[in-house]
Amino acid sequence: QVLLVESEGGVVQPGGSLRLSCAASRFTFSNYAMHWIRQAPGKGLEWVAFIRYDGNDKYYGDSVKGRFTISRDNSKNTLYLQMNSLRPEDTAVYYCAKDPSSGPLMDVWGKGTTVTVSS
Amino acid sequence: DIVMTQTPLSLSVTPGQPASISCKSSESPLHSDGKTYLYWYLQKAGQSPQFLIYEVSNRFSGVPDRFSGSGSGTDFTLKISRVEAEDVGVYYCMQTIQLPWTFGQGTKVEIK
């Protein structure tokens, strides 16, 4: 059964940076595209970023473009999200999710990690 | 951006009764490849979202057959034929025909 485990989030000051990781197991990570999705407290889902299986195509949501960078290390079965110039409105639970390659869509999600941007 | 509008925003259902959720997209998610890039998810309280329906009407592996999806153009519907207690949560539709990929605002389903 596919397993996705996000790294611990944390509290960051506005303007600060944080890197999230997502460890993938029980499937051939290098064959699948991946996503990051977030959910602000009490709000709905917002797609954040996508990366193709080989890392050669990346797409971002408008609210994070230019500040966040998605990447992956297929040798380590790990997905990353580098978040820079963080704002209070980036406060959310961040989920990584696998794309089954018939999408784009997300078929399996991690449990999520909480990022709080506050002074 | 494509706006996904769900109605109602909340729904209280008696166990065993049907439920229906509407999702309207501001543009059609039908692609020239013939696929309609419209999906449904359920997020139970305190959990991450789980995948229910792909391409309008196809149930993901393990999803009970009481869940069904339908629709075309810009109007789509998720139906639960007989609601069970385990179906409680927030349902989201999503489109991936056009970047940025967008979700509806969610419909909260609870049991009466």
Side-chain angles (χ1 to χ4, degrees), chain B residues 85-106:
Chain B
E86 66 181 24
D87 301 335
V88 164
V90 182
Y91 291 79
Y92 295 93
C93 58
M94 178 188 75
Q95 67 78 23
T96 60
I97 185 72
Q98 181 186 110
L99 285 163
W101 302 321
T102 49
F103 292 89
Q105 67 271 59

Side-chain angles (χ1 to χ4, degrees), chain A residues 39 95 102-106 110, chain B residues 35 41 43 48 51 92 96 101:
Chain A
Q39 186 170 35
Y95 300 98
S102 53
L105 67 127
M106 312 95 189
Chain B
K35 286 169 49 174
Y41 294 86
Q43 186 175 30
S48 52
F51 189 30
Y92 295 93
T96 60
W101 302 321

Side-chain angles (χ1 to χ4, degrees), chain A residues 4-58:
Chain A
L4 299 169
V5 180
E6 297 91 345
S7 60
E8 193 170 329
V11 180
V12 185
Q13 290 192 338
S17 297
L18 188 66
R19 187 176 83 158
L20 302 181
S21 62
C22 169
S25 59
R26 304 178 190 173
F27 70 104
T28 306
F29 179 71
S30 58
N31 286 354
Y32 295 92
M34 298 290 294
H35 301 260
W36 287 100
I37 305 98
R38 70 184 181 183
Q39 186 170 35
K43 302 295 185 182
L45 301 169
E46 179 188 12
W47 170 76
V48 172
F50 164 91
I51 186 167
R52 208 172 72 166
Y53 68 95
D54 56 5
N56 284 343
D57 276 336
K58 303 175 185 181

